[in-house]
Amino acid sequence: MNDPFIVALDFSSSEEVRTFLQPFSHTSLFVKVGMELYYQEGPSILYMLKEKNHRIFLDLKLHDIPNTVKQAMKGLARLGVDLVNVHAAGGTVMMEAALEGLEAGTPSGARRPHCVAVTQLTSTSEQMLCDELWIGRPMEETVLHYASLSKQSGLDGVVCSAKEVPLIRKHCGEAFLTVTPGIRFADDEKNDQVRVVTPYEAKKLGASYIVIGRSITRAANPSAAYERLQREWNGEETV
């Protein structure tokens, strides 16, 4: 999984996905299939994407009792995706069960999907963390604690804001994956995201992967926007 760009396919149907992917017919992308798309189309959308040689982050954020998560992951492991996730708030036993399910469900000779844990959503602000979730610790401290639990549970990394990557790198090591949503071009609207950074900022902060959606998928020219993403990541263009 060397490509650092994950394009969020935040669509409601396979037809919308096919239309979006037309300009990328000769490009192998790393794409994210979230709840909106997966719950509408089911596994068939994953099969279609794999046929076109795209890698897949199946973003379902599992969070349930350990046995339920284990059995769900056992099924997801058979779908040929490259990356899956859980909520770290489910605790160490649940995260360990997720890995057990993935290992049990991965076909013989295949590599099990990487598994990462969501620390705090990038739509969560410090005030929301305190006032609504009743977590009385600062955001960075909370995220680091969840990241440490994820590593302790054997997971491959976490989903976090790029702003938290340096702290996680320091305590969890360079090999621990950091998948960072909340990526926007500098001249884009933030929409429902709170803790956002640009692609170039995310690279400087040390993110393993950046997840970018509307900046690409809602662009008038998605392929040109993807090329801009590559240039910004490489420091060839900043706004």
Side-chain angles (χ1 to χ4, degrees), residues 101-154:
L102 285 175
E103 289 166 356
T106 299
S108 178
R111 181 190 61 77
R112 74 156 173 83
H114 282 90
C115 186
V116 294
V118 177
T119 53
Q120 290 295 323
L121 299 175
T122 49
S123 59
T124 301
S125 66
E126 191 94 40
Q127 182 176 357
M128 179 182 173
L129 191 74
C130 179
D131 295 349
E132 298 184 28
L133 303 184
W134 280 22
I135 296 177
R137 301 293 183 93
M139 179 68 74
E140 279 197 348
E141 190 175 326
T142 301
V143 167
L144 178 59
H145 177 62
Y146 282 4
S148 297
L149 290 179
S150 303
K151 184 176 183 181
Q152 176 185 323
S153 302

Side-chain angles (χ1 to χ4, degrees), residues 11 63 90 104 178:
F11 300 109
H63 186 177
T178 51

Side-chain angles (χ1 to χ4, degrees), residues 2-6 162 165 169 178-180 183 185 197-212 225-239:
N2 295 322
D3 191 338
F5 315 124
I6 302 177
V165 168
R169 284 261 180 269
T178 51
V179 180
T180 61
I183 305 298
F185 292 133
V197 300
T198 66
Y200 186 55
E201 288 170 337
K203 181 180 182 179
K204 290 193 295 182
L205 289 165
S208 306
Y209 299 97
I210 61 173
V211 181
I212 187 165
Y226 190 78
E227 291 171 2
R228 176 185 174 182
L229 170 63
Q230 293 173 309
R231 292 194 302 272
E232 286 204 14
W233 179 263
N234 293 322
E236 298 169 8
E237 175 182 329
T238 56
V239 178

Side-chain angles (χ1 to χ4, degrees), residues 141-204:
E141 190 175 326
T142 301
V143 167
L144 178 59
H145 177 62
Y146 282 4
S148 297
L149 290 179
S150 303
K151 184 176 183 181
Q152 176 185 323
S153 302
L155 268 60
D156 301 295
V158 291
V159 179
C160 62
S161 165
K163 296 179 180 180
E164 294 136 10
V165 168
L167 186 65
I168 292 172
R169 284 261 180 269
K170 180 180 178 181
H171 290 272
C172 298
E174 293 296 321
F176 198 61
L177 300 179
T178 51
V179 180
T180 61
I183 305 298
R184 295 282 190 274
F185 292 133
D187 52 353
D188 284 341
E189 295 290 334
K190 290 185 179 181
N191 300 114
D192 54 353
Q193 301 281 17
V194 176
R195 287 148 46 235
V196 301
V197 300
T198 66
Y200 186 55
E201 288 170 337
K203 181 180 182 179
K204 290 193 295 182

